[in-house]
Amino acid sequence: MCRLEVADTRIDFELRQKIAKQCEENTVKLWNDQAAKETEEGNDSMFGEGPQWVAPQRAAADLTALGAGRARRQTVRVEGIDPEKAKNYQAPVHEKSSEETDMICTLLNSNVLFSFLTTREIRTVALAMYRTEFKRDDCVMEFGQKNCDKLYIIQSGQADIIKEGQKVFLKTEGTAVGELELLYDTPAVATVKVCTDTLVAWVLDRDTYRNLVMGTCIRRREMYVEMLANVPFLESLDNYERMQVADALSNDEWIPGDHIIRFDEDGEWLYILIEGTVEVVGRDDNGNKTKVCEFSKGDHFGELEFLNNHRTVADVIAVTNVTTAKLNRRHFEMCMGPVIDVLQRNSSTSKYEYYQNVLQHQREAKEREITSADNDA
């Protein structure tokens, strides 16, 4: 029997199977080697006798090939930020040309760390970045280096990512270096070495990034909560519930002529207009397009489809550059429960008479279907 000891590691089921199979192979090999040795020595054993089993020497197994014995992953951490300071944070502005600013904005738009920011907010980040340049064989950062608190967006040039002496990846124009180090207070996880004659990058430090991001999130949440208070069927929500719904909102940007909502599609989004103007284009009795109205900042649309879960009854088209916050019906119900339950809180309010009538008609139709089914049975 072969016994293995593995210290300070976790072994999953698949690893146990591999170890058991290796033990079995080792046992057979030991048995065969011993039998072959005794045959070569001319052992005169009697008929029916064979080699005796000898337990193998107890030794620590080398399981590095199976992933055992590796150092445990280090815990990452990050320092807290004062929300009030972040809310009122004024980002630094480093002088650069408008062409350089536009170029940086283009690079930031393709980076996931900034994907949730609006065009205006991304421009603020771009203005806060400064230019740096490296020569061939310079190290942007080295493995294990501490105080790596900067993000580098490469404008031109290339750099090798090196781990354990091996080149594992190539960073090219438009990509970023130092995302993990920017987000967490952790030593550099790899060496980044310039492999072209020069490398030009734009730099953003951790303090600026975190204050800009948190400040943006705080201001955006407060704005969303305030706007949700003006949505009629949500006025019964308390402040905590509004904050939950605000966290489920996502923002979009539209240019003039974009269709935010198209006629006769599944309607499951509620839109709140943050900036700009939109027009609602319905259909007359003959199916011809007709302008119904316009909405501006602070208005909401798509609520009828959102509430009653039916197909859209009009087009909603951006007239100017538009920014919206949107909420999906399913996301809302994950936070607050069924929409109908929320509406029932407002059953005594006269302005909800239309909604209550719709719900009443739905209940009556459902009751008629059940009665009809029972009669047929």
Side-chain angles (χ1 to χ4, degrees):
M1 181 176 182
C2 182
R3 179 178 179 183
L4 299 176
E5 290 187 355
V6 181
D8 297 328
T9 186
R10 297 181 180 179
I11 304 177
D12 59 18
F13 184 71
E14 182 179 357
L15 180 58
R16 290 178 183 274
Q17 288 182 325
K18 292 181 180 179
I19 294 174
K21 182 178 180 181
Q22 187 64 49
C23 288
E24 183 179 354
E25 292 175 355
N26 291 344
T27 301
V28 173
K29 185 176 183 300
L30 286 170
W31 182 272
N32 292 336
D33 289 346
Q34 184 176 352
K37 181 179 179 181
E38 292 185 357
T39 300
E40 291 174 358
E41 293 175 354
N43 184 23
D44 296 328
S45 58
M46 296 180 60
F47 178 76
E49 296 182 357
Q52 299 296 316
W53 166 255
V54 178
Q57 295 294 324
R58 178 177 176 180
D62 182 11
L63 301 177
T64 55
L66 300 178
R70 294 178 181 173
R72 292 180 180 270
R73 180 174 63 87
Q74 294 183 350
T75 301
V76 296
R77 64 183 180 87
V78 64
E79 296 179 358
I81 296 180
D82 181 3
E84 196 62 30
K85 175 186 173 183
K87 178 181 175 182
N88 300 313
Y89 180 75
Q90 295 294 325
V93 176
H94 296 281
E95 185 177 352
K96 53 181 69 70
S97 67
S98 58
E99 291 79 9
E100 289 176 329
T101 302
D102 292 339
M103 181 270 301
I104 297 172
C105 290
T106 301
L107 297 178
L108 294 177
N109 276 319
S110 60
N111 192 292
V112 67
L113 292 180
F114 307 94
S115 60
F116 65 96
L117 298 179
T118 64
T119 301
R120 182 181 301 173
E121 292 162 348
I122 285 181
R123 194 168 187 85
T124 301
V125 175
L127 292 173
M129 302 183 77
Y130 60 91
R131 188 178 186 272
T132 188
E133 187 172 329
F134 298 92
K135 302 296 183 182
R136 182 183 290 274
D137 294 332
D138 285 349
C139 288
V140 180
M141 60 182 65
E142 296 187 52
F143 174 77
Q145 178 182 342
K146 297 182 179 180
N147 299 322
C148 295
D149 59 351
K150 295 179 177 63
L151 174 75
Y152 299 85
I153 302 291
I154 300 176
Q155 175 184 339
S156 62
Q158 298 179 351
D160 290 318
I161 306 298
I162 302 173
K163 295 195 69 173
E164 299 178 357
Q166 300 294 323
K167 298 178 181 179
V168 297
F169 197 76
L170 180 67
K171 287 289 185 177
T172 58
E173 297 176 3
T175 58
V177 175
E179 296 100 323
L180 182 62
E181 293 78 9
L182 179 76
L183 295 174
Y184 306 105
D185 185 12
T186 180
V189 297
T191 297
V192 182
K193 191 173 184 179
V194 178
C195 60
T196 53
D197 291 338
T198 59
L199 183 145
V200 177
W202 293 91
V203 186
L204 181 69
D205 65 86
R206 182 190 298 153
D207 186 64
T208 301
Y209 173 78
R210 293 178 63 203
N211 279 285
L212 281 175
V213 169
M214 176 168 280
T216 297
C217 292
I218 292 174
R219 290 190 297 270
R220 187 178 294 177
R221 175 194 257 195
E222 291 179 349
M223 177 182 64
Y224 286 167
V225 169
E226 182 179 350
M227 288 186 166
L228 288 171
N230 297 323
V231 178
F233 73 91
L234 297 179
E235 68 178 8
S236 65
L237 301 182
D238 60 32
N239 190 58
Y240 175 74
E241 291 172 329
R242 286 198 189 100
M243 286 193 293
Q244 281 189 300
V245 175
D247 290 337
L249 289 169
S250 58
N251 68 286
D252 287 314
E253 294 181 317
W254 314 85
I255 61 176
D258 281 351
H259 280 68
I260 302 174
I261 295 178
R262 290 186 179 273
F263 177 78
D264 197 31
E265 291 185 344
D266 290 335
E268 56 179 18
W269 293 95
L270 167 68
Y271 292 88
I272 300 176
L273 197 53
I274 299 175
E275 288 182 350
T277 302
V278 300
E279 64 177 1
V280 180
V281 179
R283 302 296 188 273
D284 59 21
D285 295 337
N286 297 321
N288 299 318
K289 293 184 178 180
T290 178
K291 182 176 179 179
V292 178
C293 63
E294 287 189 352
F295 290 126
S296 56
K297 180 179 179 180
D299 290 328
H300 57 277
F301 51 91
E303 73 276 11
L304 293 179
E305 293 83 359
F306 180 89
L307 291 170
N308 301 304
N309 199 23
H310 60 69
R311 299 182 72 82
T312 55
V313 297
D315 296 315
V316 179
I317 305 171
V319 176
T320 63
N321 289 321
V322 170
T323 302
T324 60
K326 65 181 182 180
L327 175 65
N328 187 275
R329 180 187 179 94
R330 285 171 292 180
H331 293 168
F332 178 84
E333 293 186 340
M334 288 174 62
C335 297
M336 306 305 304
V339 174
I340 289 179
D341 291 347
V342 176
L343 288 178
Q344 286 175 348
R345 302 186 191 180
N346 303 306
S347 58
S348 60
T349 307
S350 59
K351 66 172 70 175
Y352 290 96
E353 182 178 356
Y354 166 76
Y355 298 136
Q356 296 302 326
N357 289 336
V358 171
L359 297 177
Q360 181 63 31
H361 291 324
Q362 290 178 349
R363 286 191 291 267
E364 291 175 354
K366 188 174 182 179
E367 290 174 358
R368 286 195 297 268
E369 289 178 1
I370 295 175
T371 303
S372 176
D374 292 340
N375 292 337
D376 293 341

